[in-house]
């Protein structure tokens, strides 16, 4: 599978990058994805990552730096509290590539961000959930009516909340949403300033471990909770070989993680400041392996986009397929 993804990305991006005159220059890593002087180039790839995910595993292992260093390419990493913030950075050219859940690229595409989907991880529906405090009188999603629910606006859990409310016979407007990034939401949750928190791993696992909070409902049977790899279109067009190398290394570290979960959690614990038991809990709720963007996955993303447009959460309809690389 990964060989097919690497070949597909390289060939498609290479075709998109062909100059009209027919001459081909060796791809270079550009520091300016949004136009400007095309001669202003440096061998740097700028990667955005979040608190958890395969991109994070790759950074912890250091293998990408080793491989690209031999090619004279430097890797720069920037951490973000969530997918929306990461894709905003990609939109303005601060990073070239990154990873998010399902909802952030939809909000970003609706805002005009020139992003493209590269690949994704397998579904991990148990990796996001609605959490309520220990001993809470809220026993079902239906009990959330009129309650304060914290979440990171535009993140994967935004859609999870919408579909779980609908499944329980409620509307999105039946709850009072409190938009907070994970760190602030954790404080509000522990202080009792909100009644529930919709959150993803490893923040979910860490909160379960530390607060003994109860999962009201997770994504099982309602969402896939894919982790997507995304990049600016211009970066992929200019750097098909580099993009292919990154996807290959991501798949390799996924294969390693499958059989080395204990070593992985210990490695991440020191880096992230999250205890090993929480990371073990999170690691056991996800699947591993880079997969090609399929028509089925595009259709799933389109359903999310249509739902958000209907609720007025995005300003206009979008076509997700427009953000998928195609051969010309």
């Amino acid at each position: 599978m990964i060989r097919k993804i690497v070949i597909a990305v390289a060939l498609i991006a290479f075709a998109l990058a062909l100059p009209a005159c027919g001459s081909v220059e060796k791809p270079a890593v550009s520091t300016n994805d949004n136009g400007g002087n095309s001669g202003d180039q440096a061998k740097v790839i700028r990667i955005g990552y979040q608190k958890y995910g395969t991109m994070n595993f790759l950074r912890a292992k250091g293998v990408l730096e080793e491989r690209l260093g031999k090619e004279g390419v430097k890797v720069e990493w920037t951490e973000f509290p969530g997918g929306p913030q990461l894709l905003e950075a990609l939109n303005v050219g601060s990073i070239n590539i990154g990873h998010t859940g399902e909802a952030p690229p939809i909000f970003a595409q609706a805002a005009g961000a020139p992003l493209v989907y590269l690949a994704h991880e397998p579904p991990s529906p148990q990796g996001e959930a609605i959490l309520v405090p220990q001993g809470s009188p809220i026993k079902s999603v239906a009990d959330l009516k009129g309650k304060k629910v914290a979440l990171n606006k535009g993140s994967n859990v935004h859609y999870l909340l919408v579909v779980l409310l609908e499944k329980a016979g409620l509307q999105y407007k039946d709850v009072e949403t409190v938009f907070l990034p994970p760190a602030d939401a954790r404080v509000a949750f522990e202080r009792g300033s909100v009644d529930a928190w919709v959150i993803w791993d490893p923040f979910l696992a860490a909160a379960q471990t530390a607060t003994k909070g109860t999962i009201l409902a997770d994504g099982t049977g309602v969402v896939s909770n894919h982790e997507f790899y995304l990049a600016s279109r211009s970066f992929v067009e200019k750097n098909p070989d580099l993009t292919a190398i990154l996807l290959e290394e991501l798949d390799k570290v996924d294969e390693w993680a499958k059989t080395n979960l204990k070593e992985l959690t210990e490695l991440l614990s020191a880096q992230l400041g999250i205890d090993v038991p929480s990371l073990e809990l999170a690691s056991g709720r996800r699947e591993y392996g880079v997969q090609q963007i399929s028509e089925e996955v595009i259709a799933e993303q389109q359903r999310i986009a249509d739902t958000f447009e209907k609720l007025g959460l995005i300003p206009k309809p979008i076509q997700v397929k427009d953000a998928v690389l195609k051969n010309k």
Side-chain angles (χ1 to χ4, degrees):
M1 177 62 74
I2 186 58
R3 179 175 175 82
K4 292 180 180 178
I5 296 172
V6 168
I7 292 173
V9 170
L11 290 178
I12 292 171
F14 183 72
L16 289 171
L18 286 175
C21 63
S23 63
V24 179
E25 295 182 359
K26 184 178 179 180
V29 187
S30 174
T31 58
N32 189 348
D33 285 337
N34 296 322
N37 184 359
S38 60
D40 181 21
Q41 296 175 336
K43 292 186 176 182
V44 177
I45 177 173
R46 295 163 298 164
I47 302 175
Y49 71 101
Q50 299 180 60
K51 206 74 171 177
Y52 190 71
T54 303
M55 198 74 86
N56 199 270
F57 306 164
L58 187 62
R59 179 175 181 267
K61 288 283 286 181
V63 292
L64 184 64
E65 288 88 341
E66 182 179 350
R67 179 170 178 182
L68 292 182
K70 296 176 182 177
E71 306 295 327
V73 178
K74 180 182 178 182
V75 182
E76 293 182 353
W77 298 90
T78 303
E79 183 179 336
F80 295 88
Q85 296 89 339
L86 185 152
L87 290 183
E88 175 58 27
L90 186 141
N91 186 29
V92 300
S94 298
I95 60 172
N96 309 122
I97 198 164
H99 66 117
T100 78
E102 297 159 328
I106 289 169
F107 282 91
Q109 187 180 352
L115 62 84
V116 289
Y117 291 82
L118 299 176
H120 66 88
E121 294 286 323
S124 296
Q126 292 182 314
E128 58 179 0
I130 300 177
L131 194 69
V132 295
Q134 184 180 29
S136 171
I138 298 172
K139 303 300 181 184
S140 69
V141 176
D143 293 338
L144 290 175
K145 186 173 183 178
K147 304 298 184 181
K148 290 183 178 180
V149 181
L151 69 149
N152 192 49
K153 185 178 182 180
S155 65
N156 231 31
V157 294
H158 207 147
Y159 182 65
L160 176 66
L161 177 62
V162 169
V163 293
L164 285 177
L165 289 173
E166 289 181 349
K167 187 178 179 181
L170 299 179
Q171 298 183 49
Y172 179 67
K173 64 182 181 181
D174 287 333
V175 300
E176 182 181 346
T177 51
V178 180
F179 296 131
L180 295 169
D184 294 338
R186 169 74 177 265
V187 172
F189 181 78
E190 292 189 8
R191 289 179 177 175
S193 302
V194 295
D195 301 294
W197 181 20
V198 199
I199 188 60
W200 63 89
D201 277 329
F203 304 107
L204 170 61
Q208 281 183 271
T209 303
T211 73
K212 308 303 179 185
T214 301
I215 289 181
L216 196 64
D218 62 25
T220 302
V222 291
V223 297
S224 294
N225 190 27
H226 286 118
E227 176 187 359
F228 284 104
Y229 301 112
L230 304 118
S232 68
R233 183 177 293 274
S234 62
F235 176 81
V236 178
E237 290 173 355
K238 294 173 185 175
N239 303 283
D241 293 345
L242 195 58
T243 305
I245 288 173
L246 175 61
L247 291 175
E248 184 179 334
E249 291 300 326
L250 284 166
D251 193 62
K252 285 181 180 179
V253 81
D254 257 345
E255 287 299 314
W256 172 83
K258 286 180 185 178
T259 54
N260 295 276
L261 289 180
K262 182 174 178 57
E263 184 180 348
L264 172 66
T265 55
E266 291 175 349
L267 189 64
L268 290 177
S269 180
Q271 181 192 105
L272 303 178
I274 297 177
D275 61 281
V276 169
S278 294
L279 289 171
E280 288 178 339
L281 180 59
S283 298
R285 288 197 287 231
R286 63 165 288 161
E287 299 296 330
Y288 303 84
V290 178
Q291 299 184 346
Q292 192 169 4
I293 302 294
S294 65
E295 292 296 328
E296 180 182 2
V297 169
I298 294 172
E300 286 184 30
Q301 285 294 95
Q302 190 61 53
R303 284 194 291 273
I304 298 173
D306 293 343
T307 298
F308 284 166
E309 193 274 330
K310 181 180 178 181
L311 291 171
L313 295 175
I314 58 175
K316 61 181 180 181
I318 63 167
Q319 291 298 315
V320 173
K321 62 182 180 182
D322 293 341
V324 178
L325 288 173
K326 301 178 182 66
N327 206 344
K328 288 188 175 181

